[in-house]
Structures are given as C-alpha cells and as structure tokens.
Amino acid sequence: MTTLPTVEWQAGGKPALTFPEGDAPAGLQVQVLEEGNGPVVEAGRTIVVDYLGQTWGGGVFDNSYDRGTTIDFPIGVGAVIGGWDKGLVGRNVGDKVLLSIPAEHGYGSRGVPQAGIPGGATLVFVVEVKGVQ
C-alpha cells in the first residue's frame, strides 16, 4: 500500500501535513479522511471548498484557511486541475479528502514557478467539501 502524508487538524481547523520518507506515490491517490453525509458532488455543479495545497515534501503554496473564506468553482468540467476533477466528483458534502496528484493531473512539466510549484511536482491537497450548488 502506498504511504500518504498524515493530516493533523490544528486549532482553528487548518490542516497540517506530515510527509512519509521516500517519493510520492504513482498515479492519483484519493483518501477520504472523514465521510460527510451531504449531497453527492456531480460533474458540472459548482463545488464549495476549504483547502490546503503543498508540493510533495515541500511547502504550502496555497490555502483558503489563511484567507478565511471558502472558494467555489465548477467541478468535473476542466475548470480546475485534473486531479481535483477526478478526485472530488462523487464525493459527498462534508467529506474531508486527501489528494496526492501527480504532475500529469496537476500542473505538468511547466509547474507554476511564481506560486512555488516546480515543474513535475506532485501536489498534495487536503480538501473539505463544504457545499455544492
């Protein structure tokens, strides 16, 4: 079994990741940390989330917790990176999900250098599904 980072919830509800030794697992990895019981997230709907993202073994590059507001976007239609579309469609509102997203489902060989994401980076997100519209 592939070893994924562990998640600890800090005071105030912000997640923190601890990475295992070694390289990132191959392929898209989706681990439900906590099951929600809300409506199912369907492709084409707008999803509302809180999230934290960092590169495998690297630093946090973005998170909604520090901004104090959720984000919303269309899911399953190519509006976000493929790992989010593939990993979040079919989840339930209330789910807390850990995503390990290889470069081919993230930002590819280009990366996003201005955001601190090198080319070829595996991305790791903790996503709390807050709602669907």
Side-chain angles (χ1 to χ4, degrees), residues 10-50:
Q10 302 173 325
K14 182 178 173 181
L17 296 170
T18 302
F19 286 83
E21 302 234 355
D23 294 334
L28 175 66
Q29 304 291 320
V30 180
Q31 180 182 22
V32 178
L33 303 169
E34 190 174 304
E35 293 273 348
N37 58 9
V40 173
V41 174
E42 298 172 345
R45 302 287 300 273
T46 295
I47 188 172
V48 180
V49 302
D50 263 323

Side-chain angles (χ1 to χ4, degrees), residues 9-120:
W9 299 95
Q10 302 173 325
K14 182 178 173 181
L17 296 170
T18 302
F19 286 83
E21 302 234 355
D23 294 334
L28 175 66
Q29 304 291 320
V30 180
Q31 180 182 22
V32 178
L33 303 169
E34 190 174 304
E35 293 273 348
N37 58 9
V40 173
V41 174
E42 298 172 345
R45 302 287 300 273
T46 295
I47 188 172
V48 180
V49 302
D50 263 323
Y51 71 95
L52 177 133
Q54 68 186 89
T55 55
W56 185 274
V60 173
F61 58 80
D62 192 17
N63 80 89
S64 63
Y65 299 93
D66 289 347
R67 289 191 297 273
T69 185
T70 57
I71 65 162
D72 58 84
F73 49 86
I75 193 72
V77 295
V80 292
I81 60 173
W84 280 54
D85 278 346
K86 291 174 177 57
L88 296 176
V89 169
R91 303 276 44 102
N92 291 338
V93 171
D95 280 4
K96 294 181 180 179
V97 183
L98 177 67
L99 301 171
S100 176
I101 303 174
E104 63 266 23
H105 296 298
Y107 294 110
S109 59
R110 295 183 326 276
V112 185
Q114 65 272 25
I117 303 170

